[in-house]
Amino acid sequence: MSVATTSLADVASSEAALRAFLHGLPGVDRVGADQRAAMLGTRSIKTTAKAQAIDLAISMVDLTTLEGADTAGKVRAMCTKAVHPGGGAPRVAAVCVYPDLVEVAVQALAGTGVKVASVATAFPSGRSSLEVKVSDTALAVAAGADEIDMVIDRGAFLSGRYLKVFEEIVAVKAACGPAHLKVILETGELATYDNVRRASWLAMLAGADFIKTSTGKVAPAATLPVTLIMLEAVRDFRDATGRQVGVKPAGGIRTTKDAIKNLVLVHETAGDDWLSPDWFRLGASSLLNDLLMQRQKLATGRYAGPDYFTLD
Amino acid sequence: MAIFEYAPAPESRDLVDIKASYGLFIDGEFVDGAGAPFKTVNPATEETLAEVATASADDVDRAVRAARKAFGGWSALPGAERAKYLFRIARIIQERARELAVLESLDNGKPIRESRDVDVPLVAAHFFYYAGWADKLEYAGFGTKPLGVAGQVIPWNFPLLMLAWKIAPALACGNTVVLKPAETTPLSALWFADICRQAELPPGVVNIVTGAGETGAAVVGHPEVDKVAFTGSTEVGRIIARAVAGTGKKLTLELGGKAANIVFEDAAIDQAVEGIVNGIFFNQGHVCCAGSRLLVQESVQEELLASLKRRLATLRVGDPLDKNTDVGAINSAEQLAKIRELSAVGESEGAERWSPACELPERGFWFPPTIFTGVAQSHTIARDEIFGPVLSVLTFRTPAEAVEKANNTPYGLSAGIWTEKGSRILWMADKLRAGVVWANTFNKFDPASPFGGYKESGYGREGGLHGLEAYLDV
């Protein structure tokens, strides 16, 4: 993508300029994008490559619990699992919790290298005032969150008020301070692949450190074609600006096969620069146990029963 | 070690049991041929796969007489009965799909991903499709009277698929068949002969005669053959047209191509890049309808070429049986020599040659994915069919210029249009002199869709309702 860097400075100078820019991005042909993602899904990753991919995937997991019923005890248990997944597997990238539980997670993970991520900005719907969203963010950051997962205002996006979405992201980014900002596009509500590409660029232009597919509360969540389009977006954005942005598919990734397909997408779309927990994450809760099970199967040649893997 | 490197993932070669030698399939039996046997090799390794009989003129005569004898009974069957055999063949092909895919990749050099996901499923689909027509011919509008014995000569690029394109409509209409597969890829046709036996197809309805050009000439020239169908080079097509002229035989020819793949500035660029790759590197570019000329609008040329080069660098070239291989082996030493020669001409005429860094296996016939930029209409590589993984890139400024350049070729088999503007697609499709025009996709095939060329790309249509016409006495 040859977006002149100089032009990007003025992109958000007005609603019209921003709209013109986003609508000027090349379109996405749905049939072609689906076909490409399906083809990459047929890659056969076996033996040493599979072992490598499983450990890489484990190190990229954002172990997540986002339920009204979450308790401090549950979060502590999950943090222990995050650091010691079992069987000598590497630790995961981060745990992801609601703002009020950040403190618990920070204490549990101190000195382990596992990051604490928190959803904020009236997650998952984002239906609140900017003031509330910013203070929600500030709350999580003050409690020690390393990463903030914010949601965009899909209503504003779909009604074409791109500048409102842009300004909200800028404001939340400012409230993040040193914390990294992941911007959740909720692609299941954006309806078209063109919108996914536009929302990706919008978030990156506004300062996102990561773009993330979904909250996990809306179906469909992280589909392969959507992740493909977002990977193309970060690739093109780096070409245009020199700044690298991470990608996080979240929701619906449950099996090792799904995780490996995602890694194949990264490898063959954005490239190996993104194949690290710094630039690619998998938002999931049940995925980790399947990864651990497949990891053990590769090492021992046998599947162990589910009772050999902890439920946290 | 790289961050993420795919380990070899080879499909099992043990799925096919290849004997040391094969005979001809005549009148339901495998028999010896009178000519000197020839060897068929695996182009990826140069290993000999099997020795195959050469059919002499006498052998061809026996095959045609067997087909003639079988014609009476076969054509007299009710369409629904013929359909039963075709449905049965289609189901056996599906059941033996893995075996056929491995065999096709071994003999042809194409990646298993393509033989498994494209060739074999389309072969089965073709038989299913024409099985459905067998008892509905009176609604097709070409009458219900078959022609008799069809002599069919097919190429090496899609050995089993071209067989299906030829045999399925012929049998559905009540004809019997003598088919000659290409001399570098005879095996899957012989496997098909075995499938005919498995399906208990009456003897003589399908006969397979192997051999080179002389055998093909004997099939085409046999006086008892009522219909000739050929897919292959324009050069051989001309010879056949001359041989058939004045004999009363019906003829369809599906010949070469030099398709333009036209990318407008408003195209979905990422998908266009995929379409360009699929257009020219699918099946190593051994595709008559390959998008071998990329016509790109000047305003997006730089951006598109950068994306295309980046994408080419991810193509995985190598062992055709590896499930992760994208580009396999060139089918024969002869074809490799031709590709090398034409590429050298491209360079000497001043076009700029580029290939991604890619390691090619030491043995076998290999050619890296290659693009030529700075190509003009007058360059040989923009005119001649290369039939290999070589793309010529040209530019245009206006839609009218795109049409003019696309049509400025003696061929007219296919074309591709990439734009988000629907009205432009229709405008272009109307003006392009090509039998198939794809919009925002390329190399898509379906048994229900007719296929065939304008100008020196041949005449007659295969596939779909139109494909029936070639096998009925209209």
Side-chain angles (χ1 to χ4, degrees):
Chain A
M1 173 119 19
S2 60
V3 182
T5 320
T6 46
S7 72
L8 288 181
D10 307 321
V11 155
S13 58
S14 70
E15 186 78 80
L18 187 55
R19 161 184 294 271
F21 175 79
L22 295 176
H23 286 257
L25 291 166
V28 184
D29 185 78
R30 176 171 283 270
V31 175
D34 286 347
Q35 208 176 308
R36 174 70 178 148
M39 185 263 126
L40 287 173
T42 69
R43 290 296 194 210
S44 180
I45 306 301
K46 303 288 183 209
T47 61
T48 52
K50 189 171 182 184
Q52 201 183 6
I54 288 174
D55 278 8
L56 191 56
I58 291 172
S59 76
M60 291 170 164
V61 166
D62 278 8
L63 205 53
T64 302
T65 183
L66 295 169
E67 285 162 25
D70 286 344
T71 61
K74 165 148 198 205
V75 169
R76 273 194 287 269
M78 196 176 78
C79 290
T80 308
K81 172 94 168 238
V83 181
H84 308 287
R91 59 178 166 73
V92 306
V95 299
C96 183
V97 296
Y98 272 115
D100 62 323
L101 289 164
V102 167
E103 208 173 330
V104 177
V106 167
Q107 276 171 10
L109 293 171
T112 64
V114 176
K115 303 266 197 278
V116 177
S118 176
V119 297
T121 71
F123 182 93
S125 68
R127 300 229 75 97
S128 193
S129 68
L130 179 59
E131 201 182 356
V132 169
K133 290 178 186 180
V134 168
S135 61
D136 196 16
T137 306
L139 176 72
V141 173
D146 304 297
E147 301 169 358
I148 297 298
D149 291 21
M150 76 168 284
V151 290
I152 64 164
D153 183 340
R154 282 88 76 189
F157 182 90
L158 289 170
S159 58
R161 286 175 292 143
Y162 300 129
L163 200 57
K164 176 168 193 284
V165 182
F166 181 91
E167 282 165 355
E168 270 196 11
I169 298 171
V170 170
V172 172
K173 171 75 180 165
C176 280
H180 275 206
L181 176 64
K182 304 198 198 99
V183 176
I184 303 173
L185 311 180
E186 196 67 298
T187 54
E189 291 182 346
L190 297 184
T192 69
Y193 290 170
D194 286 330
N195 275 345
V196 173
R197 173 166 286 170
R198 288 173 191 149
S200 298
W201 275 83
L202 178 60
M204 292 187 292
L205 289 167
D209 298 301
F210 257 76
I211 50 176
K212 174 175 168 182
T213 59
S214 323
T215 59
K217 308 289 185 192
V218 167
T223 65
L224 284 181
V226 157
T227 306
L228 173 78
I229 290 158
M230 289 167 63
L231 285 164
E232 288 166 356
V234 295
R235 177 197 70 194
D236 294 341
F237 186 78
R238 189 179 70 172
D239 281 354
T241 66
R243 187 166 81 85
Q244 187 166 341
V245 173
V247 175
K248 177 178 171 183
I253 303 167
R254 294 193 181 85
T255 64
T256 300
K257 226 174 208 169
D258 292 340
I260 291 178
K261 283 178 186 179
N262 272 281
L263 297 185
V264 165
L265 283 192
V266 177
H267 178 62
E268 298 201 34
T269 307
D272 287 356
D273 288 356
W274 270 266
L275 272 181
S276 105
D278 291 340
W279 303 108
F280 195 73
R281 295 283 180 83
L282 296 160
S285 44
S286 59
L287 169 66
L288 183 57
N289 269 7
D290 194 62
L291 285 166
L292 293 171
M293 194 186 283
Q294 298 296 338
R295 189 175 187 275
Q296 189 173 356
K297 158 74 168 44
L298 266 184
T300 65
R302 295 175 189 83
Y303 280 111
D307 289 349
Y308 289 85
F309 301 93
T310 58
L311 297 169
D312 300 279
Chain B
M1 193 173 184
I3 299 169
F4 185 29
E5 206 165 84
Y6 302 166
E11 178 59 283
S12 170
R13 183 168 182 326
D14 299 340
L15 286 165
V16 279
D17 181 17
I18 303 176
K19 289 187 296 183
S21 68
Y22 286 90
L24 316 169
F25 185 69
I26 295 176
D27 210 10
E29 300 291 336
F30 284 101
V31 296
D32 291 337
F38 62 98
K39 290 180 166 62
T40 183
V41 302
N42 177 347
T45 61
E46 297 177 56
E47 148 213 19
T48 297
L49 292 168
E51 223 176 49
V52 181
T54 293
S56 66
D58 284 349
D59 295 325
V60 170
D61 181 55
R62 268 192 299 147
V64 174
R65 277 189 282 120
R68 174 62 61 197
K69 191 177 71 184
F71 174 67
W74 180 250
S75 57
L77 281 180
E81 289 302 310
R82 288 200 302 273
K84 280 187 193 171
Y85 288 103
L86 292 174
F87 278 125
R88 207 181 285 165
I89 288 170
R91 283 195 303 269
I92 295 171
I93 287 166
Q94 287 183 322
E95 282 161 18
R96 296 176 65 174
R98 275 183 83 192
E99 178 192 353
L100 290 168
V102 171
L103 179 75
E104 197 77 325
S105 283
L106 281 172
D107 204 17
N108 170 279
K110 66 176 66 200
I112 187 80
R113 178 164 72 73
E114 290 175 7
S115 50
R116 176 195 70 195
D117 296 347
V118 182
D119 293 52
V120 176
L122 276 173
V123 169
H126 241 84
F127 279 97
F128 276 118
Y129 177 80
Y130 279 109
W133 272 117
D135 62 346
K136 303 173 193 72
L137 293 176
E138 53 188 301
Y139 305 103
F142 306 117
T144 58
K145 207 166 153 254
L147 294 166
V149 176
Q152 307 176 321
V153 178
I154 58 170
W156 46 261
N157 58 342
F158 295 93
L160 196 57
L161 183 58
M162 291 302 103
L163 174 147
W165 280 27
K166 297 277 181 286
I167 291 185
L171 298 195
C173 294
N175 304 278
T176 55
V177 164
V178 176
L179 177 134
K180 188 196 89 70
E183 63 269 31
T184 61
T185 56
L187 293 182
S188 54
L190 295 165
W191 253 247
F192 181 78
D194 184 51
I195 287 169
C196 290
R197 291 223 290 200
Q198 204 183 337
E200 293 173 10
L201 190 73
V205 172
V206 168
N207 303 275
I208 308 286
V209 289
T210 44
E214 275 181 37
T215 308
V219 171
V220 169
H222 197 288
E224 286 288 306
V225 164
D226 302 293
K227 147 86 194 169
V228 172
F230 172 74
T231 296
S233 70
T234 297
E235 188 191 341
V236 176
R238 280 202 189 92
I239 298 171
I240 290 176
R242 273 196 289 269
V244 167
T247 62
K249 290 175 192 175
K250 254 185 119 167
L251 176 64
T252 44
L253 297 171
E254 203 266 88
L255 309 174
K258 193 71 189 176
N261 209 354
I262 307 160
V263 181
F264 287 94
E265 60 186 0
D266 68 342
I269 294 290
D270 287 303
Q271 285 71 49
V273 166
E274 287 309 315
I276 295 162
V277 168
N278 184 40
I280 186 64
F281 301 116
F282 173 65
N283 204 33
Q284 296 73 246
H286 302 329
V287 185
C288 45
C289 53
S292 52
R293 284 187 297 154
L294 170 63
L295 296 184
V296 54
Q297 197 154 17
E298 271 180 6
S299 49
V300 287
Q301 178 199 4
E302 227 172 281
E303 175 185 347
L304 185 83
L305 277 177
S307 295
L308 184 62
K309 286 180 175 177
R310 179 175 53 205
R311 174 69 177 86
L312 252 56
T314 70
L315 281 177
R316 307 174 63 87
V317 185
D319 180 9
L321 283 192
D322 191 309
K323 292 175 205 163
N324 293 328
T325 292
D326 296 319
V327 180
I330 302 303
N331 181 252
S332 65
E334 191 191 350
Q335 186 59 28
L336 179 60
K338 189 186 157 200
I339 297 167
R340 282 182 176 154
E341 188 195 318
L342 278 165
S343 299
V345 170
E347 266 179 313
S348 71
E349 289 181 1
E352 195 182 325
R353 179 179 184 158
W354 183 89
S355 287
C358 79
E359 242 176 81
L360 299 177
E362 277 177 23
R363 293 202 55 134
F365 314 130
W366 302 92
F367 198 85
T370 299
I371 57 180
F372 277 99
T373 50
V375 179
Q377 284 288 94
S378 53
H379 278 135
T380 305
I381 52 170
R383 318 283 313 161
D384 289 10
E385 185 179 38
I386 300 174
F387 222 64
V390 181
L391 178 69
S392 299
V393 182
L394 298 93
T395 58
F396 68 92
R397 286 158 296 172
T398 63
E401 188 186 345
V403 168
E404 193 180 271
K405 282 187 166 167
N407 286 341
N408 180 210
T409 163
Y411 295 111
L413 194 51
S414 68
I417 307 166
W418 296 84
T419 171
E420 291 275 277
K421 210 182 187 76
S423 57
R424 184 180 291 146
I425 292 172
L426 297 175
W427 185 86
M428 293 284 297
D430 191 43
K431 294 190 163 38
L432 288 168
R433 302 273 299 156
V436 180
V437 179
W438 283 293
N440 293 327
T441 190
F442 209 92
N443 275 343
K444 271 259 174 279
F445 304 98
D446 189 281
S449 172
F451 186 92
Y454 281 48
K455 302 190 274 185
E456 288 182 24
S457 290
Y459 38 80
R461 292 292 178 265
E462 293 184 304
L465 166 68
H466 307 70
L468 295 167
E469 185 181 3
Y471 291 96
L472 289 166
D473 190 1
V474 181

